[in-house]
Structures are given as structure tokens and as C-alpha cells.
Amino acid sequence: MTALAVLTVAAISATPASAARVLKDFDIYNPSGRGGDWRGRMIIDSTAVRFTGNVHPSLTKATAYGCISASVSGCNLVGAAKTLGVVDGRTESQLLEIDKTFSKTSGQSAWVRTCFLHRNGVTNCTSWTAGHAPTFP
């Protein structure tokens, strides 16, 4: 066995089990039923959360939020929610692609939500969601 092969085997076996990635898919729809959605994925490991996906505002101004906290109730605290992106589709068709990563610590989880501002000034926000395990065809 060469020195490189020994080093590779040692590096693989030194990777802790907690380093496993967890994938959480989500489909967020405008609660008013008037269009607009954010379909994406959270990629969660022991030290970070990556928020990805596409926001289609569909005649609204959509703001996508992510939260990393020990509990979902922590997401409602001032400063806990991170604005991941804003896209205004009230006057023309728009698309927002999100790909942002934030650090996390042990015991923290991740949630997402979206708020949709309509042309009439009414805003509808979704509840925080932790997503679901991906379904592969």
C-alpha cells in the first residue's frame, strides 16, 4: 500500500458520523391562492445549512426567509430570520434563484418561509416549514 493510499484510508475513517448531510425539500405556495411559490432544498450538515431553490413571485413581491435555531419558535425572535432574497413580480415576470449558506451549531435546525406582497398592498406569509425528505423517482 502506498503512502497516499494509507493517507486516504485514514482520512475517510476519521470522518465523524455527525458529518452526514440531510436533504430537506420544500414547496411553499402563496397562502392566498393567487400564485407565487418557492421550491427548493435545504442541505444541512453539522456545521452549515445551504438554502437553495427558485422563487416565482407570480404577480407579487416575494421575500424568502431562512432561519437556523434550536426550535421553530426561535425563528420569530428579532434578528433570527435571514432574508435570503426578494423578487418583485408585480409588474413583470421575474425569477429569483437562491443559493446561500449559513453556519450552524450542534442542536440547531433549519426552517424556511415566504411572504407575498400583492398589488393591493395585502401581505400573506406562510408558516415556517422544516421541509421533508426528498422523494426520488
Side-chain angles (χ1 to χ4, degrees):
M1 193 178 267
T2 67
L4 180 57
V6 172
L7 182 60
T8 303
V9 170
I12 291 171
S13 63
T15 304
S18 62
R21 290 188 320 169
V22 175
L23 305 178
K24 295 284 189 164
D25 287 350
F26 55 88
D27 300 302
I28 297 176
Y29 299 99
N30 185 341
S32 74
R34 294 184 184 156
D37 63 75
W38 176 18
R39 295 180 181 172
R41 171 174 282 173
M42 292 180 281
I43 304 166
I44 306 165
D45 65 31
S46 61
T47 62
V49 177
R50 181 176 173 197
F51 298 96
T52 66
N54 293 313
V55 179
H56 304 271
S58 186
L59 303 177
T60 69
K61 180 178 180 181
T63 305
Y65 297 97
C67 175
I68 301 170
S69 178
S71 68
V72 70
S73 60
C75 294
N76 296 318
L77 299 174
V78 174
K82 312 262 191 252
T83 301
L84 303 177
V86 178
V87 59
D88 195 341
R90 291 175 290 178
T91 57
E92 62 183 76
S93 181
Q94 299 283 337
L95 171 71
L96 173 65
E97 188 172 325
I98 293 175
D99 190 347
K100 293 195 176 181
T101 302
F102 296 93
S103 62
K104 71 177 261 323
T105 60
S106 177
Q108 290 184 317
S109 295
W111 292 269
V112 290
R113 79 183 288 185
T114 308
C115 291
F116 299 93
L117 171 64
H118 299 270
R119 290 180 180 174
N120 63 5
V122 173
T123 299
N124 299 100
C125 294
T126 65
S127 298
W128 289 102
T129 180
H132 54 85
T135 53
F136 297 104

